[in-house]
Amino acid sequence: MIEFIDVHKIYKQSDQKVVALDGVSLRVKAGEIFGVLGPSGAGKSTLIRCVNQLEKPTSGSVWVNGQEMTALSGAALRQARQGIGMIFQHFNLLSSRTVAQNIAFPLEVIGYSKLKRKAKVEELLALVGLEGKANAYPAQLSGGQKQRVGIARSLAGEPNVLLSDEATSALDPQTTRSILELLHDLNKRMGLTILLITHEMGVVKHICDSVAILHAGKVVEQGRVSDLAAQPDSLLAQEFFPRRNGYIPPPGAVLATLAFAGEAASQPIFATLARRFDVDIHILNGSVETVGNQRVGQFQVELEGANVKQALEYLHKTKVEVEVH
Ligand SMILES: Nc1ncnc2c1ncn2[C@@H]1O[C@H](COP(=O)(O)OP(=O)(O)OP(=O)(O)O)[C@@H](O)[C@H]1O
Ligand SMILES: [Mg+2]
């Protein structure tokens, strides 16, 4: 649904150059929720704004739904943008317009009749759970309600892609959850493809199908969340399962990370190691998390005993990923 091919974006400010995107290639499949992660200044907002060409890449191409966005301008670009909704951290609502008028705004631009606008606005208000708020002004709404208006407005043009630049970072945890549930629900019910930027690992765990991690304008990791979470050495797993760093095991002990997903997560791994191989296991850190619909676990352990080597070989044969440190 969305593809970036070797995209570079360089901002020029007087005589300074900032490389915001440095050869980004990525693919977002139709109907998935795709998370973009990375530290401040990594280029996340720039990336998302290149999708609908609010920023023009310096080089490379961006495709949405089979259309090369980077080749479009004028009326053709405006038309293509209709298929791409966008929501923002600070909602960007017009304060002098009511909720209904805010949602109707893009419909006025497309040239819907007054009657058609009214029907569509009612449908959108129901979709985001804001029946009864049509005549309220943004100042009379909570943050979560404002974002619901933002979402309704973004869906007015019946897009198949929704872009979200930290849409929940101004909201409290409970409101964040309700907005994420709404996005998840829209994704499932309407098959809406969602590209979202977030700093919250909980968002990634609970609603993202895939992620890309950006560092200094480059994609340093990309893949399905459940696959990356099950790899002991992925950057995403290190975010999900923080490790105890700098720990030195006693002589003779082996320090390892065990990672497992799906079926392997329900096997009695530790009991088997202890019983079959007479290995002592000290758990240093770890947890089992539900990622998407699958259970994924990682444990940092110290193994001791005469048969540690055999125990590790056994783990290799099962679906447990092992990284010995
Ligand atoms: N309009 C602009 N003009 C010049 N430089 C810019 C512009 N927009 C962004 N940059 C620079 O490009 C780099 C990437 O910025 P971007 O806003 O994409 O980062 P980000 O990952 O979204 O960060 P944050 O998490 O803080 O929102 C930064 O160094 C930033 O200063
Ligand atoms: Mg940003």
Side-chain angles (χ1 to χ4, degrees), residues 41 43-46 165-166 197 199:
K44 304 180 297 296
S45 294
T46 304
D165 191 346
E166 302 194 36
I197 297 174
H199 283 289

Side-chain angles (χ1 to χ4, degrees), residues 12-86:
K12 293 193 183 80
Q13 278 179 322
S14 53
D15 55 347
Q16 278 207 334
K17 277 186 182 178
V18 179
V19 181
L21 297 178
D22 193 4
V24 167
S25 293
L26 56 81
R27 249 165 195 259
V28 179
K29 291 199 200 101
E32 72 177 347
I33 302 185
F34 191 104
V36 179
L37 312 178
S40 184
K44 304 180 297 296
S45 294
T46 304
L47 182 148
I48 218 166
R49 292 164 65 85
C50 282
V51 175
N52 56 4
Q53 301 293 294
L54 288 179
E55 294 293 350
K56 282 264 176 207
T58 311
S59 68
S61 60
V62 176
W63 299 72
V64 177
N65 209 6
Q67 233 182 351
E68 187 182 354
M69 298 298 292
T70 31
L72 301 178
S73 61
L77 178 58
R78 279 196 297 279
Q79 174 79 30
R81 276 182 180 150
Q82 258 185 51
I84 307 171
M86 191 165 190

